[in-house]
Amino acid sequence: MGPTKRERWWFGALCALFAALACAHNLLLPLWEGPDEGDNALYVRYIAVEGQLCPPALEPRYDLEHLGRGHMPPLWFLSLVPLFEARDMQRWRATHVPNPEFLRRVTTAPGAELDLDAELAKPHSRAMYLHGRDERAPLSGAALDLRLLRLASLPWALVALWATWRTARIFLPEQPGACLGAAALLALTPQFQHLSGTITMDLMLAALGALALWQATEWCAGQGPNARAAFVAGLCAGLACCVKINALVLVPALALAGLCARFGKRGDPWSWMCAVAGGLLAAAPYYAWQWIESGHPLWSWHYQNVSPFHHPTAEALASGGFEKWKWFAVVLWLSWVGDFGWTSVWFPGWVNVAVALAYVAGLVSLVAKLRAPAGGCCGRRTIRELRVGSAFLLGAAALMLAAEVYFNLNFSQPQARHLYPFVTALVVPIALGLARWRLLWIVNGVMLALSAWGLALVAQWLRPDGWNDDPRWSATDDAKRARPAVIDAGAIPWSASRLPTLAWEHPDGALDELVLAVGDPSFTHRPWVLHGQLFRSIADLEVAPEGAVTLPESFWSSLPSGTRLFAQVVRLDADGRASAWSSVREFEK
């Protein structure tokens, strides 16, 4: 039996609360401060501009290294291309400048011993980038574009909540409060809200993984048609594998579901064939293409292992021992509960310990329930069905955790969002255990309080006083681009100079920026093309020139003789917007 109208109403109210919290994170979080937002947006731009995926290669290549995400499965990136084109986001480029005081950048720098407490106390130490006055209007221009890209994560998060709710109903159909509480345990996790307000593929991954695990649970412990459930589980798992390669762990998870289905007397050969058919239907086209193009069946994983951009040094992998794995566990848990921005804002230690104890209590309670005498009942479900379904979810969670350990043997990047294909397996068993001891809604009440606190922490540490006062910095060049239709070109005269120095007339107190395009008179930004860059002196060189710029020797010497370059000076007003500019100067090396 499906959910009643009253149950759907309560679930809708939970979704509305969650959406409000996720949108609050979307608006509060400064632009590009979500993990990997810049690289994610850049690959969407590549697909939109080039009209193709990045061609595979078995060895590092310029465009793949510069894109950062070009080696990843494309489904999520393709889903954002229509929005990117509808908003004409090709008109601007990202110009975010690294923050030299950023905590992780300071703590990983070689040198003298670091006073960690002092660094944590600095008001501007938690932001990855410097921010300017273009972010004072959060719902206009490029700022609106980026927040719409962030908003695209929210529907996927809601799908993940729905699948989590329906999975819990397989176990406790006569306890709607406990089933809703299982979805709430995920919805009220501050980090899940935070990532739902960023530009990330992890929410599509969570949605497809949750759907796959819901149908896999239905296959091995449900009451509906097992072949249909197996097919849908395989289909959703296959789609997830086209989003991110960590979803490949869903393949052994579905094999585990088939084995559990045999114990539940639902694992006939036809259902196995349906699961395989669903997975192949969804994933075979992409994986066959990248195998044919590259010659490797798992090209994404191979490239991540050979790329110097993605792979740490041998020294970094060799260091650690107990200390490494202690911090692996700490960071993994922090980034599950709440580790905002670029994993730089978190709750106090005692909060994380308290939530961890609550999760442990739920797991202990579930194990105790499963050890109850056989033949007992749980509503209309027998203890045998509960054992089969719980064994599958716990086994699937163990598979994902083992995969994360293996990943960190090679890459040393613990992140709980790597576990998102398995959010259902991680949340539902804990929720069922907490419900048995009548602790579920107490814990959810605490998580709601933490949700409000998390928003306060984001505002405190990522939006401190003066965080966007400096007109030099900007998230994009949308406000800095020369618009001849508004102001005539040539308002800033060039001065005589000898290459590689460029000079112009500069009155005292003016804020100027030199824009340089290599080989492209239209100043079109295509950074994945060798020497197809567009340089801005403030954004790229972190220099606000006073009438002259000497091009860096490393850049100048890398240009072949005969390379054409085009330069323009843009004068900025007090808000960092273009107010005047020079004519375009063309020269050749």
Side-chain angles (χ1 to χ4, degrees):
M1 182 183 296
T4 65
K5 184 177 181 180
R6 182 180 178 84
E7 290 177 72
R8 292 179 185 274
W9 189 93
W10 278 109
F11 179 73
L14 175 65
C15 288
L17 173 62
F18 170 79
L21 292 167
C23 288
H25 278 281
N26 184 336
L27 291 171
L28 275 178
L29 187 68
L31 300 179
W32 306 121
E33 291 294 343
D36 300 325
E37 285 189 316
D39 284 341
N40 291 339
L42 183 61
Y43 192 39
V44 175
R45 175 187 293 273
Y46 174 91
I47 296 173
V49 170
E50 302 296 334
Q52 64 177 19
L53 302 180
C54 196
L58 294 179
E59 297 298 328
R61 196 178 65 210
Y62 179 86
D63 55 344
L64 282 167
E65 292 299 290
H66 195 92
L67 286 168
R69 294 290 176 271
H71 70 289
M72 297 185 70
L75 184 58
W76 176 77
F77 299 98
L78 290 169
S79 74
L80 291 182
V81 169
L83 174 59
F84 188 93
E85 294 180 334
R87 290 285 303 175
D88 188 27
M89 297 186 200
Q90 298 179 34
R91 72 183 188 279
W92 50 259
R93 60 161 291 208
T95 55
H96 43 297
V97 175
N99 174 17
E101 294 186 2
F102 179 50
L103 175 66
R104 281 172 52 193
R105 187 172 291 113
V106 171
T107 55
T108 55
E113 292 186 5
L114 183 73
D115 186 343
L116 183 57
D117 291 335
E119 293 297 329
L120 287 170
K122 290 181 179 179
H124 296 278
S125 65
R126 310 299 182 92
M128 180 78 161
Y129 300 106
L130 298 171
H131 299 276
R133 297 185 181 183
D134 61 322
E135 296 191 49
R136 291 184 172 183
L139 296 178
S140 65
L144 177 60
D145 294 342
L146 290 169
R147 287 192 162 86
L148 289 174
L149 289 176
R150 286 177 171 180
L151 191 63
S153 297
L154 180 57
W156 296 113
L158 295 174
V159 171
L161 293 179
W162 182 70
T164 301
W165 177 49
R166 296 304 300 267
T167 303
R169 290 193 82 260
I170 294 175
F171 296 95
L172 300 174
E174 294 180 340
Q175 298 183 38
C179 299
L180 183 66
L185 189 61
L186 178 60
L188 298 177
T189 300
Q191 185 71 8
F192 190 72
Q193 302 158 12
H194 182 71
L195 290 177
S196 299
T198 66
I199 306 171
T200 178
M201 75 285 293
D202 293 300
L203 276 304
M204 177 187 274
L205 192 63
L208 293 171
L211 290 170
L213 293 182
W214 167 37
Q215 289 300 298
T217 307
E218 181 68 36
W219 175 19
C220 64
Q223 295 179 326
N226 59 340
R228 183 182 66 184
F231 176 80
V232 176
L235 183 71
C236 293
L239 290 173
C241 291
C242 295
V243 176
K244 204 171 182 180
I245 56 175
N246 58 334
L248 290 170
V249 186
L250 286 167
V251 176
L254 290 191
L256 176 63
L259 293 175
C260 290
R262 292 190 62 185
F263 288 96
K265 299 181 180 180
R266 293 171 58 83
D268 55 274
W270 174 242
S271 63
W272 279 81
M273 293 175 62
C274 288
V276 172
L280 290 177
L281 178 65
Y286 167 70
Y287 281 90
W289 170 81
Q290 55 97 33
W291 190 355
I292 293 169
E293 291 291 319
S294 70
H296 196 287
L298 291 177
W299 167 70
S300 293
W301 174 254
H302 167 81
Y303 193 83
Q304 190 159 313
N305 278 276
V306 301
S307 165
F309 177 84
H310 297 94
H311 202 64
T313 63
E315 293 79 7
L317 289 174
S319 63
F322 172 77
E323 192 70 15
K324 171 183 176 178
W325 294 107
K326 180 189 77 173
W327 284 109
F328 166 82
V330 169
V331 173
L332 198 65
W333 180 249
L334 286 177
S335 57
W336 175 265
V337 177
D339 200 357
F340 311 120
W342 285 80
T343 61
S344 56
V345 179
W346 51 83
F347 294 106
W350 64 267
V351 171
N352 287 282
V353 171
V355 177
L357 290 175
Y359 272 57
V360 170
L363 188 60
V364 169
S365 175
L366 179 67
V367 172
K369 189 180 189 71
L370 296 179
R371 290 173 61 88
C377 290
C378 180
R380 288 198 298 265
R381 312 310 309 276
T382 66
I383 195 68
R384 179 186 180 88
E385 292 170 323
L386 179 63
R387 283 175 172 170
V388 169
S390 298
F392 164 65
L393 289 180
L394 291 173
L399 279 172
M400 189 67 242
L401 289 170
E404 181 67 6
V405 170
Y406 173 76
F407 176 82
N408 277 270
L409 289 171
N410 294 274
F411 293 93
S412 191
Q413 295 176 3
Q415 285 288 313
R417 58 195 174 100
H418 297 163
L419 311 178
Y420 272 25
F422 287 75
V423 286
T424 299
L426 295 164
V427 169
V428 170
I430 302 296
L432 295 178
L434 290 172
R436 178 173 180 259
W437 283 350
R438 301 183 185 277
L439 293 174
L440 179 55
W441 282 105
I442 295 175
V443 172
N444 280 333
V446 172
M447 299 301 287
L448 178 59
L450 289 182
S451 299
W453 190 0
L455 290 171
L457 288 175
V458 170
Q460 176 186 354
W461 290 109
L462 295 175
R463 300 171 68 96
D465 291 340
W467 70 280
N468 62 348
D469 282 349
D470 196 326
R472 292 177 298 170
W473 318 127
S474 62
T476 72
D477 65 356
D478 197 30
K480 294 183 175 183
R481 291 179 298 113
R483 295 178 175 84
V486 180
I487 300 175
D488 291 336
I492 305 174
W494 290 99
S495 302
S497 60
R498 183 184 180 118
L499 294 174
T501 297
L502 298 170
W504 61 94
E505 293 186 8
H506 176 81
D508 291 341
L511 178 59
D512 291 345
E513 182 168 43
L514 175 71
V515 186
L516 183 73
V518 181
D520 186 355
S522 67
F523 288 82
T524 301
H525 182 52
R526 298 174 72 222
W528 48 85
V529 178
L530 190 62
H531 296 139
Q533 299 267 11
L534 178 67
F535 294 94
R536 287 186 173 273
S537 60
I538 293 178
D540 299 300
L541 305 179
E542 300 179 33
V543 172
E546 297 183 357
V549 166
T550 299
L551 301 179
E553 173 60 27
S554 58
F555 165 71
W556 184 250
S557 62
S558 71
L559 297 176
S561 180
T563 300
R564 299 168 65 209
L565 296 99
F566 302 85
Q568 186 174 42
V569 178
V570 179
R571 185 155 294 155
L572 308 176
D573 62 19
D575 290 324
R577 295 181 176 275
S579 61
W581 39 82
S582 70
S583 59
V584 176
R585 179 182 174 185
E586 178 182 351
F587 57 97
E588 182 176 301
K589 181 180 177 183

